[in-house]
Amino acid sequence: MQESDKVRAERVRTGQQYGAGQEGIDLFSMMDDALRCFQKYWLQFLLLIVIVTAVFIIYGNRQYVPQYQAKVTYAVNKTGDSDTDASIAQRLSNSISVVTKTGDFKDRLFADVEEENVNPNYVISSAYTDNSNLFSVTVTANNYNNANMLLDLLENMYPEWVAGSNGTIELQVVDRVLAGENPVNGYSAMKQLVEGVLAGVILCLAIAALYAQLIRTVRKESDMKKITSKGCISLIPEIAVKKREKSKKQQLLLTNKRVDWGFKQSVQAAQLRIEKQMEQEHKQVLLVSSTLPQEGKSMTAVNLALAFMQHEKKTVLIDGDLRKPSVAEMLGMEEQKGLAEYLKGNAKVKEVLQKKGDLTVIPGGKVHGNISSLMDESRMEELMTFLKSEFDYVIIDTPPAYLFSDAAILAGYADCVLYVVRHDMAEIPQIEKGMESFIQEDKLLGYLINRSQKGFASYGKYGYGKYGYGKYGYGKYGKYQRYVDVKEDDMDTEDSL
């Protein structure tokens, strides 16, 4: 049985963590999230690859030690029997790396060399030629003169050392190669570059995979099903405002002819579904809210009001964000007496009703503040009674529900709530908390995903007018959680498109 919204709300209230009891990992979803991570942070990833590559090149250059090799090849002649001589050659080859490290061997090797001329940076190794009486001894040093000197010393004393340790064994030199001036391990900047880029790419892939695992924002409708059983009203695509160069920034309004067709169609679809549902349930008052600022709730409220008017529904739009009203400015109206003045008793109902074309608007007013400090229940009830008798629909814009109590207070005068969720912004636990009061009061009509990566229009980075994301309102404060601990009167709550 599908979990009800009230059960989900209870789960949030009791503090259960998001993710408990989730289904198995969706590989395709993770890949999609990782890809979006690259798209979103491509510049940071590119910088990371450059940094990792630079570190590889610098570290490789500093750690590079040139190596020079001199080699001598011996043939073992003792018994005349090829198998026996081959066995002796193999045994001598295997013992070289151990023998040459002993103190006695080193004393014999450098007996005729001044101590200050002994360079300890060398390695003596050996290789046996299979099924033969041949083995080679290689001297590797960080200087070609040192490598050649060591080879000469080794040639002079090693046969005597072998004879003294293993009896009469004749070692015949069959090949001798001195170290040249070019190291055998030449430094390759290109190799370091390729390895650095590869390491940077792997690191970026790991970060993107981790991001996909840890991400808790809403990117698709299925993410919202973890919060509520209510349906998605509409997907509002991320679109471009078509405007000429150097022209005044345009607002994302249905009345703006330059706004993308896909955006208008999405809003119209949302309005039709909302109207149908509200009509079936005999509801008139719609409250629009969101979790965080910059999610597009004010844009949604304004455009839904315009869409209702276009369908010949007498509609009034209330700017309930008294902390920083934006509806009047969004519609190009002068700020006059509004809801704040009415609640304070400084204006009558008809004095706060403003007209913008056929749309009636109650602006927030000139005095900003929170609803709780101004709320007069009797005056608010009187206002709503009048509006419901005069208009077909009443739409109320509010501050973000997760950060402020204003939305929950105003919801007491609304019949239903439309919740706006911006794609890949608020975290799911925050959305759960923001929706909690609406779910408990059984007023959640549904949700709308704004700036969706799916929809009628093409995608990209576009201008959103004066109310562009991050420029106004809460954007300057950084982490949203910090708002919760700030005094409400000092908070800036202007929303944006």
Side-chain angles (χ1 to χ4, degrees):
M1 182 179 293
Q2 191 176 32
E3 182 183 36
S4 70
D5 281 353
K6 289 190 176 181
V7 172
R8 286 185 175 87
E10 179 64 21
R11 173 164 53 82
V12 174
R13 187 183 66 78
T14 55
Q16 294 181 21
Q17 295 296 318
Y18 160 68
Q22 275 187 269
E23 298 179 356
I25 295 175
D26 185 342
L27 182 59
F28 290 104
S29 179
M30 283 184 58
M31 291 176 62
D32 183 62
D33 290 337
L35 179 60
R36 295 192 187 283
C37 179
F38 276 112
Q39 292 174 335
K40 186 175 182 180
Y41 301 107
W42 68 270
L43 187 59
Q44 290 87 336
F45 280 132
L46 180 61
L47 180 60
L48 179 60
I49 292 174
V50 171
I51 292 174
V52 171
T53 303
V55 169
F56 258 71
I57 293 175
I58 294 172
Y59 179 80
N61 186 52
R62 291 184 176 180
Q63 294 297 312
Y64 171 68
V65 177
Q67 295 181 349
Y68 301 86
Q69 291 184 342
K71 182 170 70 173
V72 59
T73 302
Y74 290 107
V76 176
N77 295 306
K78 180 176 183 180
T79 63
D81 179 72
S82 59
D83 291 338
T84 302
D85 289 345
S87 177
I88 294 173
Q90 184 177 16
R91 178 166 54 83
L92 290 176
S93 177
N94 293 338
S95 65
I96 284 287
S97 59
V98 177
V99 169
T100 56
K101 294 176 182 178
T102 63
D104 290 343
F105 188 90
K106 290 181 179 179
D107 291 341
R108 290 278 299 275
L109 184 64
F110 298 112
D112 298 328
V113 180
E114 297 292 336
E115 185 175 352
E116 60 271 15
N117 294 329
V118 176
N119 189 332
N121 297 314
Y122 70 90
V123 175
I124 298 177
S125 58
S126 180
Y128 167 68
T129 303
D130 292 337
N131 302 318
S132 72
N133 63 336
L134 301 176
F135 71 97
S136 60
V137 179
T138 301
V139 177
T140 304
N142 62 350
N143 181 283
Y144 74 94
N145 288 322
N146 188 40
N148 291 333
M149 181 191 74
L150 286 168
L151 185 68
D152 290 338
L153 295 174
L154 187 69
E155 277 191 78
N156 291 331
M157 66 83 62
Y158 184 64
E160 296 180 6
W161 174 275
V162 171
S165 303
N166 299 273
T168 304
I169 296 178
E170 180 183 348
L171 295 181
Q172 179 183 356
V173 176
V174 296
D175 189 31
R176 186 172 187 270
V177 180
L178 295 177
E181 295 184 1
N182 296 321
V184 294
N185 64 331
Y187 177 75
S188 174
M190 181 57 67
K191 179 182 178 182
Q192 294 295 325
L193 176 65
V194 172
E195 290 179 351
V197 171
L198 182 61
V201 170
I202 292 174
L203 180 59
C204 290
L205 289 172
I207 292 174
L210 181 63
Y211 172 88
Q213 283 276 39
L214 299 179
I215 190 171
R216 299 193 296 174
T217 57
V218 171
R219 289 93 62 213
K220 49 190 177 296
E221 293 178 64
S222 59
D223 293 329
M224 288 298 295
K225 292 180 180 179
K226 303 166 186 174
I227 306 173
T228 176
S229 60
K230 298 294 184 180
C232 177
I233 300 296
S234 183
L235 300 176
I236 305 298
E238 184 172 7
I239 57 90
V241 176
K242 303 171 185 177
K243 62 185 184 66
R244 297 177 182 177
E245 189 177 357
K246 296 183 180 180
S247 65
K248 185 178 180 180
K249 289 184 178 179
Q250 305 292 315
Q251 300 294 342
L252 277 177
L253 301 178
L254 293 181
T255 52
N256 184 349
K257 295 181 179 180
R258 297 184 181 277
V259 170
D260 191 278
W261 174 87
F263 173 83
K264 293 182 179 180
Q265 290 299 309
S266 298
V267 174
Q268 295 284 2
Q271 184 274 328
L272 289 172
R273 291 170 186 168
I274 292 171
E275 180 184 347
K276 181 179 179 180
Q277 192 166 342
M278 291 181 69
E279 190 176 66
Q280 290 175 344
E281 299 174 7
H282 307 289
K283 296 178 178 180
Q284 283 183 268
V285 185
L286 175 69
L287 182 140
V288 181
S289 191
S290 64
T291 305
L292 302 174
Q294 318 297 328
E295 293 200 70
K297 61 174 183 56
S298 294
M299 175 272 292
T300 301
V302 171
N303 280 297
L304 284 177
L306 293 172
F308 273 105
M309 289 301 303
Q310 289 180 358
H311 286 84
E312 299 182 351
K313 300 297 180 181
K314 194 175 181 181
T315 307
V316 59
L317 173 62
I318 303 175
D319 191 343
D321 188 350
L322 302 187
R323 300 168 186 275
K324 194 150 189 178
S326 59
V327 169
E329 187 175 0
M330 201 178 299
L331 290 169
M333 302 170 59
E334 293 184 4
E335 192 69 54
Q336 301 179 34
K337 289 183 179 181
L339 184 62
E341 285 74 21
Y342 172 78
L343 292 176
K344 291 166 64 177
N346 296 334
K348 297 180 180 179
V349 174
K350 293 187 178 180
E351 291 180 317
V352 298
L353 296 176
Q354 312 296 330
K355 296 290 289 186
K356 178 64 177 180
D358 294 329
L359 177 65
T360 302
V361 179
I362 299 180
K366 297 181 180 179
V367 179
H368 303 160
N370 57 31
I371 283 290
S372 59
S373 65
L374 298 175
M375 181 58 69
D376 183 319
E377 292 185 9
S378 62
R379 291 186 65 80
M380 191 65 186
E381 289 176 358
E382 179 185 347
L383 173 65
M384 297 308 298
T385 300
F386 172 79
L387 295 178
K388 286 191 285 187
S389 66
E390 294 292 323
F391 296 90
D392 297 322
Y393 292 97
V394 180
I395 299 177
I396 307 175
D397 179 34
T398 72
Y402 174 69
L403 304 178
F404 306 104
S405 60
D406 303 38
I409 294 173
L410 288 171
Y413 302 93
D415 298 323
C416 53
V417 175
L418 174 67
Y419 208 82
V420 178
V421 179
R422 178 178 168 181
H423 175 271
D424 197 19
M425 186 171 183
E427 294 185 352
I428 289 178
Q430 294 175 323
I431 299 173
E432 286 181 318
K433 190 65 177 178
M435 280 187 171
E436 182 178 7
S437 62
F438 308 137
I439 292 174
Q440 289 178 341
E441 297 298 325
D442 197 24
K443 289 192 175 183
L444 185 64
L445 183 74
Y447 60 89
L448 178 149
I449 298 180
N450 188 34
R451 297 191 72 172
S452 170
Q453 301 303 301
K454 297 179 180 179
F456 293 96
S458 56
Y459 320 126
K461 293 187 176 179
Y462 306 113
Y464 277 72
K466 178 177 178 180
Y467 296 90
Y469 294 102
K471 184 175 180 182
Y472 291 91
Y474 305 84
K476 61 183 179 181
Y477 291 98
K479 294 292 183 181
Y480 296 113
Q481 182 59 37
R482 294 163 57 185
Y483 280 90
V484 180
D485 303 321
V486 178
K487 186 177 179 181
E488 289 191 354
D489 292 341
D490 297 330
M491 297 181 187
D492 180 9
T493 68
E494 180 182 354
D495 203 349
S496 74
L497 294 177

